[in-house]
Amino acid sequence: MGGVDGLCAALRQAQMRKKEPQMAEQGRIQGKSVVVKNKVYKLAIAIDAPLKEGDTVWVQFAEGNTAVVIGV
């Protein structure tokens, strides 16, 4: 499953695993990844915004070592 459906499924699974709300964390886009606290995660985007290398973004984490961009 890919695209928007896959992203929604990943977010639902991450939400079901955690009993307490997950706080968003700030990271920086680096290629097709995002760096948060010196750790590199795969990048998924849940917003419609122009993003480029080096942009600072807000992310929440999903299954499969993925950081989902939820804001800029």
Side-chain angles (χ1 to χ4, degrees):
M1 185 180 326
V4 174
D5 291 334
L7 178 59
C8 290
L11 288 172
R12 271 193 301 278
Q13 287 177 348
Q15 197 171 39
M16 292 172 74
R17 283 187 317 210
K18 303 218 178 241
K19 294 187 186 234
E20 60 187 55
Q22 179 187 7
M23 300 300 291
E25 294 193 39
Q26 205 168 26
R28 185 169 303 274
I29 294 178
Q30 191 171 49
K32 293 185 177 183
S33 303
V34 63
V35 178
V36 179
K37 295 182 182 176
N38 293 325
K39 188 168 179 188
V40 179
Y41 298 90
K42 291 185 278 186
L43 176 65
I45 302 172
I47 60 170
D48 185 20
L51 300 174
K52 62 185 182 310
E53 177 93 18
D55 282 350
T56 301
V57 294
W58 288 96
V59 300
Q60 284 191 318
F61 300 102
E63 190 175 287
N65 199 36
T66 302
V68 180
V69 177
I70 60 168
V72 271

